[in-house]
Amino acid sequence: MKQRNRPRAPHRPPGRGKPAGVGSDGTLWLYGLHAAAAAIANPARRIERVLATANAAHALEAALARTDTAPEIAGAEAVAAVLPPGAVHQGIAVAVHPLPAWDLDDLCAGLADRPGALLVALDQVGDPQNVGTILRSAAAFGADGLIVTQRHAPSVSGALAKAASGALEHVPLVAVVNLARALDTLGEEGFLRVGLSGDAPTALSTVPEAGRLALVLGAEATGLRRLTRERCDVLTRLPTTPAMPSLNVSAAAAVALYEIRRRR
């Protein structure tokens, strides 16, 4: 979806501390072909530097032609040197400024005219690969935003953006102090709050179709916390087998989002 009514406040990423790959000026190194191309194509994203091998620059020639920042051609080792150890960069790293922040009120205001709005809320999901992959699924299945907690959630990083495969540029990411209060707000905005839990008696496929829906998922180790569960209108599960009763949270999100989108 196109991001609308984007607020102008500085970005306040979820999580604590400065992740590897963040410069002293607050710029962030994104890497990987899809993440880099999406960032370059996003008019809301300020590009500071583009460091690329000749092959990567050729692969992204069309995207790079649309930016005023000329790529600095370098070897793969020079690209790797600006990134965290082990980063799979595919020959490109882009130093970007953080996107302007979203808050929940802004997101809800931007969705006021969308009776079929779909949101995803994560209850202290802390792995950047999982959050990035969920962002990718959210973009693929047309979700209008991802809500995370400010604490016990990963900072926006190159690893998260790489896993999101460009979705960080398309899906609004909202970090909230208190998820239970955020779910109260979504209830007031007319969202059916559907929690996913392996011990729920109701399968997701049997939940009545809703116009506005918020899918709520918890961390793999702890699941949904008590206050989060209490704010959900219905708790549901995926129809897994006894041999493998649970899925990785990012896989569960993808399956659930597919099921919700299939029925719309």
Side-chain angles (χ1 to χ4, degrees):
M1 63 165 277
K2 292 183 179 179
Q3 296 185 357
R4 299 169 291 173
N5 299 330
R6 184 186 293 278
R8 298 181 181 274
H11 182 64
R12 297 181 300 275
R16 290 184 169 184
K18 186 174 71 174
V22 176
S24 59
D25 59 352
T27 55
L28 169 70
W29 283 102
L30 303 183
Y31 54 87
L33 293 174
H34 293 297
I40 291 167
N42 184 359
R45 180 73 84 171
R46 289 174 55 204
I47 307 297
E48 193 69 29
R49 286 180 70 190
V50 178
L51 196 61
T53 64
N55 287 340
H58 178 71
L60 295 179
E61 184 176 4
L64 289 168
R66 297 193 294 268
T67 179
D68 294 331
T69 305
E72 303 169 37
I73 305 302
E77 296 82 3
V79 177
V82 302
L83 301 175
V88 182
H89 54 72
Q90 298 177 294
I92 189 161
V94 182
V96 301
H97 291 271
L99 289 171
W102 284 88
D103 65 32
L104 190 59
D105 289 340
D106 292 310
L107 181 63
C108 289
L111 298 175
D113 61 348
R114 283 183 56 81
L118 172 61
L119 297 175
V120 180
L122 303 182
D123 189 5
Q124 297 191 346
V125 174
D127 184 86
Q129 298 288 336
N130 280 335
V131 175
T133 303
I134 291 168
L135 265 172
R136 184 176 184 177
S137 296
F141 294 111
D144 298 293
L146 179 68
I147 299 168
V148 299
T149 53
Q150 285 189 5
R151 296 185 61 193
H152 306 293
S155 298
V156 173
S157 65
L160 187 154
K162 176 71 162 51
S165 196
L168 184 63
E169 311 299 323
H170 300 288
V171 179
L173 180 62
V174 178
V176 297
V177 174
N178 188 302
L179 184 61
R181 285 202 294 267
L183 292 174
D184 285 339
T185 297
L186 294 183
E188 294 165 1
E189 292 288 334
F191 283 85
L192 179 70
R193 299 155 299 183
V194 178
L196 206 61
S197 178
D199 60 359
T202 304
L204 178 61
S205 59
T206 66
V207 174
E209 291 189 32
R212 294 159 71 81
L213 189 146
L215 176 67
V216 189
L217 301 103
E220 289 185 51
T222 56
L224 298 174
R225 292 174 295 164
R226 179 181 61 83
L227 290 178
T228 304
R229 293 171 70 97
E230 290 175 356
R231 284 347 188 256
C232 292
D233 299 297
V234 58
L235 293 175
T236 65
R237 56 176 172 78
L238 298 176
T240 53
T241 66
M244 187 61 64
S246 64
L247 292 172
N248 170 278
V249 64
S250 61
V255 173
L257 285 168
Y258 166 77
E259 173 63 19
I260 292 166
R261 184 55 60 189
R262 182 187 68 82
R263 300 171 62 196
R264 294 190 163 199

